[in-house]
């Protein structure tokens, strides 16, 4: 099955390849950095178009939280942003997702099968003048990537990705077993009060014989509104204590994701076999204890391996 062949809605195609003028990379760079800061976040997901016979619309999902976005790396061609959640009442901190932005990236990882991400070349025509955003799990395991250009029509900074595959989100795979992949277009927009992340998702059942069934389309809307009313000091304290540890974790992931063939995880789909020990090691550092590199290596040696090499016909 050619997992890279996806039906792209015409509206999204126009947004990606529109001849409208694009600002230089300096403006793009500033737009990405503008996502850093302290936010109250609302998450909303609604199934919209029902595609499979007999499929019934699932209930809308609503949640939210307090999240700080911290700049981990800032260079002309790459920016890394780490999201950290803080519970306002207890001050409890949870390391959340991470987003990496690379200008004219030559490759990216793509979700190709259960617990498998293949590293593939990005077509030069797609990557030229574009930024590739890659999103990572709380353990810094891969989630998905998308490539697109920033536009500034009517002075509204907006980035729209191409269509790509991703695994089920945590809100779904703990409850759903009727589909196993999402094809998605992502759009980030800077707003006067912060920024938004729109997701145009299609829920897909990919079968072993290479066929696939589209069940439903879903619209996701994540609204990041800047706030000065939440105490994010626990998040900064946590990050200062653990950032060197997480840098080592990222380095180990990079050994698999920097070049083909990619990575395969031996954990269950929830990834908790890696999340728990890595979070425990970070917690030890918070308490002033030491974590040896060998302890990090042991987690990776047990649960992470290289993805199988792809045959050209499979791509």
């Amino acid at each position: 099955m050619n997992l890279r062949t996806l039906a792209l809605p015409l509206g999204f195609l126009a947004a990606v390849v529109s001849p409208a003028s694009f600002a230089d990379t300096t403006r793009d760079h500033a737009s990405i950095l503008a996502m850093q800061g302290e936010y109250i976040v609302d998450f909303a997901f609604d199934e919209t178009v029902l595609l499979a016979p007999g499929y019934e619309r699932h209930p809308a999902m609503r949640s939210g939280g307090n999240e700080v976005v911290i700049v981990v790396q800032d260079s002309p061609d790459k920016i890394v942003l780490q999201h950290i959640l803080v519970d306002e009442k207890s001050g409890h901190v949870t390391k959340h997702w991470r987003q990496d932005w690379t200008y004219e990236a030559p490759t990216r990882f793509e979700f190709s099968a259960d617990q498998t991400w293949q590293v593939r070349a990005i077509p030069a025509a797609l990557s030229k003048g574009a930024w590739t955003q890659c999103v990572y799990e709380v353990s810094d395991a891969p989630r998905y990537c998308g490539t697109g250009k920033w536009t500034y029509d009517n002075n509204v900074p907006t980035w729209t990705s191409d269509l790509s595959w991703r695994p089920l989100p945590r809100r779904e795979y703990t409850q759903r077993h009727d589909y196993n992949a999402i094809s998605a277009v992502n759009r980030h927009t800077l707003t006067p009060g912060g920024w938004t992340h729109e997701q145009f998702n299609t829920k897909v059942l990919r079968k072993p014989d290479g066929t696939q069934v589209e069940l439903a389309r879903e619209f996701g809307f994540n609204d990041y509104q800047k706030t000065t009313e939440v105490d994010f000091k626990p998040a900064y304290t946590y990050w200062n204590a653990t950032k060197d540890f997480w840098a080592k974790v990222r380095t180990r992931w990079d050994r698999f994701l920097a070049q083909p063939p990619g990575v395969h995880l031996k954990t269950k789909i929830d990834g908790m076999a890696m999340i728990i020990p890595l979070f425990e090691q970070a917690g030890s550092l918070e308490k002033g204890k030491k974590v040896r590199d060998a302890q990090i290596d042991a987690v990776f040696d047990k649960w992470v391996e290289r993805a199988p090499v792809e045959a050209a016909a499979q791509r």
Side-chain angles (χ1 to χ4, degrees):
M1 178 172 99
N2 186 347
L3 298 181
R4 305 185 72 182
T5 303
L6 300 168
L8 186 64
L10 292 178
F12 296 137
L13 183 61
V16 174
V17 301
S18 169
S21 62
F22 296 98
D24 60 22
T25 56
T26 301
R27 192 176 187 184
D28 296 347
H29 186 274
S31 296
I32 297 168
L33 284 180
M35 287 187 281
Q36 70 178 303
E38 300 173 351
Y39 301 94
I40 295 175
V41 191
D42 291 318
F43 304 100
F45 294 89
D46 295 85
E47 290 190 345
T48 54
V49 183
L50 309 185
L51 301 172
Y55 183 87
E56 296 184 2
R57 181 177 285 106
H58 282 64
M61 303 187 72
R62 299 289 185 270
S63 61
N66 306 311
E67 190 156 296
V68 60
V69 183
I70 296 173
V71 177
V72 175
Q73 179 180 336
D74 178 11
S75 62
D77 295 334
K78 186 170 183 179
I79 300 170
V80 177
L81 303 176
Q82 177 64 57
H83 293 235
I84 300 177
L85 290 166
V86 176
D87 180 79
E88 188 172 7
K89 293 183 179 179
S90 67
H92 179 74
V93 171
T94 303
K95 178 179 175 290
H96 204 199
W97 62 294
R98 181 180 115 233
Q99 49 175 322
D100 289 12
W101 294 81
T102 304
Y103 182 66
E104 293 189 340
T107 63
R108 69 185 188 186
F109 58 79
E110 298 180 358
F111 177 60
S112 59
D114 286 349
Q115 299 295 78
T116 304
W117 289 260
Q118 301 283 349
V119 175
R120 295 166 172 162
I122 303 173
L126 177 61
S127 185
K128 183 175 178 58
W131 290 81
T132 292
Q133 181 210 45
C134 290
V135 168
Y136 300 81
E137 174 67 88
V138 298
S139 62
D140 288 318
R143 293 289 297 167
Y144 64 87
C145 294
T147 302
K149 296 178 180 178
W150 282 88
T151 62
Y152 300 91
D153 298 342
N154 301 314
N155 294 316
V156 178
T158 301
W159 175 86
T160 305
S161 76
D162 64 334
L163 193 65
S164 62
W165 290 107
R166 67 170 65 172
L168 274 62
R170 189 171 297 275
R171 59 185 167 81
E172 289 280 76
Y173 67 62
T174 55
Q175 305 178 47
R176 301 281 296 269
H177 303 284
D178 55 338
Y179 76 104
N180 53 18
I182 288 177
S183 61
V185 169
N186 292 277
R187 184 164 63 205
H188 287 241
T189 302
L190 301 186
T191 66
W195 57 280
T196 62
H197 175 196
E198 297 168 89
Q199 302 177 37
F200 304 91
N201 301 329
T202 300
K203 299 179 178 181
V204 181
L205 175 63
R206 302 195 303 201
K207 297 183 178 182
D209 64 1
T211 61
Q212 59 189 47
V213 178
E214 295 187 353
L215 302 184
R217 292 176 187 160
E218 175 187 71
F219 177 65
F221 183 67
N222 302 337
D223 189 15
Y224 289 76
Q225 289 292 315
K226 291 183 179 179
T227 182
T228 58
E229 299 178 357
V230 178
D231 182 6
F232 283 97
K233 290 180 183 177
Y236 297 116
T237 299
Y238 169 85
W239 190 246
N240 287 334
T242 65
K243 61 182 179 181
D244 291 341
F245 167 80
W246 288 113
K248 292 180 180 180
V249 171
R250 293 194 303 275
T251 296
R252 284 156 176 79
W253 283 117
D254 286 345
R255 294 172 184 170
F256 295 93
L257 298 173
Q259 60 186 3
V263 67
H264 174 256
L265 304 187
K266 294 181 281 185
T267 68
K268 293 181 180 180
I269 193 170
D270 63 7
M272 296 305 291
M274 289 197 71
I275 292 172
I276 291 174
L278 291 177
F279 272 41
E280 287 177 342
Q281 290 173 9
S284 294
L285 288 169
E286 278 192 281
K287 298 174 182 177
K289 300 179 181 179
K290 293 184 178 181
V291 174
R292 294 176 286 108
D293 287 356
Q295 293 175 262
I296 307 173
D297 291 334
V299 177
F300 278 79
D301 290 344
K302 185 174 183 179
W303 298 112
V304 184
E305 63 184 4
R306 294 198 176 278
V309 176
E310 287 187 293
Q314 292 179 319
R315 298 181 57 186

